[in-house]
Amino acid sequence: MCKRPGSLHLALSVTTMLSAAFSSSAMAATRHSSVVHRAAPAAHKNMPRAAVPKHRHTGPYVSKSAENMAVVARHPPRGTVETVSQKMLAEAPAGTNPMKVISQLPGIVFQSGDAQGLDTWSAQIFMHGFQQQEIGMTLDGMPLGEMTYRNYNGLNPIMAISSENVARIDVSQSAGAESMAASNNLGGGLSYVSMTPSDKMGGTASAGFGSYSTYHTFLRFESGKLNSSGTKFYTSYMRNDSGMWKGYGEQFMQQVNAKLVQPIGHDSSISAFFDWSDLHQNTYPDVSPQIINRVGYGLSSYENGSNSGYIAAVNAANGIYPGKVGTLDDPADAAYYDGSTNTVDTFGGIKADLRLTDRLTWNTTAYGHGERNQTSWATPYYPSPTGSPVSELMKEPEIRRFGIVSALHYDIARNHIGAGVWYENNSYMSPMNAYAQPAVVNGVVQGKVHDPLSQWRDPFAQIFNQNYNTNTFTAFVQDTYNVLPNLALHFGFKSLLSTTRVGDGYLNQDYYGAGAAVTSGESLTVAKPFLPHISADWHFLKDHELYFDISENARTYAESGYKLSNSPFAVSQTAYDDTKSSIRPETAWTYAIGYRYTGKLVAATVYAYRTNYNNRLQQITEGPVVNPISAVSNVGGVTMNGVDAGLTLMPFRGFALTNSVSYNHGVYDQNLVSGSTVYATKGQQIVNYPRFMYKGRVSYEWHGMTAYADGSYTGTRNYSYTGDVKSPGYWLTNVGVQYSFGNMKKYNRYLGAIKNLTVAFNGSNLTNRRYISTMGQNGNPADIASGALTDQSMQIGAPRMFFGSVRADF
């Protein structure tokens, strides 16, 4: 949990600008793979026969809905797109974040402090060096914005849709599709697609359980076709509740999804999607290398469910520390009383998919999103008016955004032409307030200690405020030309125009010091009229595919509370004035080439890439913990070269053995300069992302049984920018088995309503490995001298855990 306005000593923002292109060497399009390669354009009745690719059976891991959708999707033939189906998502423990499943693909890293990957503070995904803030994400074409803690222009995908309602996820490499409704997809895109309501009435009921009091419930009702026109819908409820694996607290989430589809004729439809999510989470405390070495992996918050925990926090604020905490160089920041997250989202849209003629289709979606968020921690640096040395600081941002996405697709001869626009208005408010906690007199708490997961009322002080308003407009034009039946060329470009204005800036003089002033009344515009994308896909022999991809993309400026990110606005007015002339939008060029062989017994892939990342923005922070000096500067570029290679063996039906390796050489182009200090970052591997990864998986299907075991090695990662502090590499092993009984009528005629019953068992981190998972959530330190050993910007990975579930389909 982020406990402070800036990182200790000199640190760089949590939104570290990393660089790389996402790899596509995942083992896919095999008979027993979970990934579908979407390498050819859609087939429909007016496409020339020469342009229609031969459909390949992709095996039991591909859901029926994924196959059907692949036929009608209008994606250009990029070999850099992989699809993960619901079948693979369903093999993970019930309620698991789909991004944790995606991380089985080469070049992708997903980290979290909990086993299910649902902790929004510690959840972190990288695609070939690009972190989540630089990866575009959509749901049914609706933009989800940047996946950040305290999101400013969207929502975390787990809060947009329950994992059981995800039909598939299209993982796009390079800079992603130019048609994606995103203004941050420097490093690719994740396109979530929701399930389509069933034609038959029915439903799903499942219950999951696991270690540390984990319980998961999911219920979905399918209406089936309600009338002759084919009207149908589903509605679902999900609840996930888990205890903390260390310390006291819970991580709770509940969610409602609904989807309605109204067919119009044979080829058109209108659909609507709705989401409501409610999340309440205690967060795991951040640790430093020194905390791990002196105190251990088990350090937790002081909160323990009784007043004694609060008294311990008050004692620590007064300089009396428990156990080995007092041996640390910075014991006051080692642990706080609590850290929590409360978030409520309402999100949805209406979409029209209209076939205007045999050759022309029009797709338009109007959407809206509102979010209220509370993230809090008990600070020992700002006392309560009650006399307690501790007060609760709470960031309380809100989002209100509305937009429209519209595109036309026209087929003529061998050309598949598309053009479209996306417009969004986003209002983001980012206040921070202080709430009182009771005093402790003679060891007795004088009043009620407030529960951090409850709703707070009546702050005694406002600490900060800043309001943003952003208008974003993009347009794209593209054409996929089938030169030959087995050769497709694609060219397109995207135009981006975005203006952000900031106002109502306020800083509390008592907290930040006399004369402090935040940026207000300023605006910045990103204008990129031509961002090209060129690709080709050639199936030159049976089962052999060669492709390349060249693309450029840009990212609009981030937004956040004061000194919390690399946003040019999240600094003092003086710092903004000093740097605004050198601020430029971040851009990335990516060049990729790949080869894929897909046979009956063997599948192999090789994917190589180069990325040049320019105008990288970093937050540079120096000084004291409570009120550091912070500025956002253009610190140059990153050059990334990498390769993935994968091999899948399928010696007999139902069995698959997959292995992949990823090598990533991503280095900073310049040294980091802060004032008169020069840090030797030139040529150093980018922070938080490993240079080497290995992933292996063995799976077997027999009748209704599916079993798998997977292992992965994550190599050494740089924690400091100069590379003098690193986190060690580690192995993780997971297993799972599930059995589907099929229609239960064959066992008992009274159970005929149950069309399928599935039981599953999973184990994660079987060797109980202690390892560092997420890094850089509070920014990364420059080197040892600037505090790399004491800087708390690490999370500990979850220990060995076991899960089980029962699912019935009606």
Side-chain angles (χ1 to χ4, degrees), residues 552-595:
E552 182 190 21
N553 218 326
R555 181 192 179 199
T556 55
Y557 298 116
E559 303 169 20
S560 74
Y562 191 47
K563 303 181 183 180
L564 291 178
S565 78
N566 68 330
S567 169
F569 302 106
V571 295
S572 70
Q573 186 68 53
T574 300
Y576 175 84
D577 293 338
D578 290 342
T579 60
K580 66 179 180 181
S581 61
S582 63
I583 296 295
R584 298 289 184 275
E586 297 168 331
T587 60
W589 276 96
T590 298
Y591 313 86
I593 185 169
Y595 163 79

Side-chain angles (χ1 to χ4, degrees), residues 687-762:
V687 294
N688 305 327
Y689 189 76
R691 181 160 288 183
F692 176 80
M693 287 187 291
Y694 164 81
K695 299 176 183 180
R697 180 182 178 95
V698 57
S699 62
Y700 181 63
E701 291 196 11
W702 183 76
H703 296 287
M705 186 272 293
T706 300
Y708 73 87
D710 62 56
S712 63
Y713 176 75
T714 301
T716 301
R717 294 168 290 165
N718 279 354
Y719 181 55
S720 63
Y721 277 85
T722 60
D724 57 357
V725 178
K726 304 176 185 291
S727 69
Y730 62 91
W731 282 90
L732 287 181
T733 304
N734 309 296
V735 296
V737 60
Q738 64 177 225
Y739 187 81
S740 295
F741 291 89
N743 195 315
M744 298 299 291
K745 186 178 181 179
K746 60 187 176 183
Y747 301 101
N748 188 304
R749 62 189 181 91
Y750 296 106
L751 299 178
I754 303 177
K755 305 304 180 184
N756 186 33
L757 182 70
T758 303
V759 295
F761 178 81
N762 300 83

Side-chain angles (χ1 to χ4, degrees), residues 161-165 204-207 215-222 234-241 252-259 274-278 280:
I161 185 170
S162 300
S163 60
E164 291 90 345
N165 291 330
T204 297
S206 66
Y215 297 99
H216 181 83
T217 302
F218 178 78
L219 302 170
R220 180 173 62 225
F221 169 73
E222 300 267 9
Y234 66 72
T235 183
S236 68
Y237 173 77
M238 184 278 296
R239 176 188 174 105
N240 199 92
D241 199 352
F252 170 83
M253 181 181 178
Q254 59 181 343
Q255 187 170 46
V256 173
N257 286 160
K259 186 172 183 179
F274 172 80
D275 166 74
W276 174 84
S277 65
D278 178 32
H280 304 280

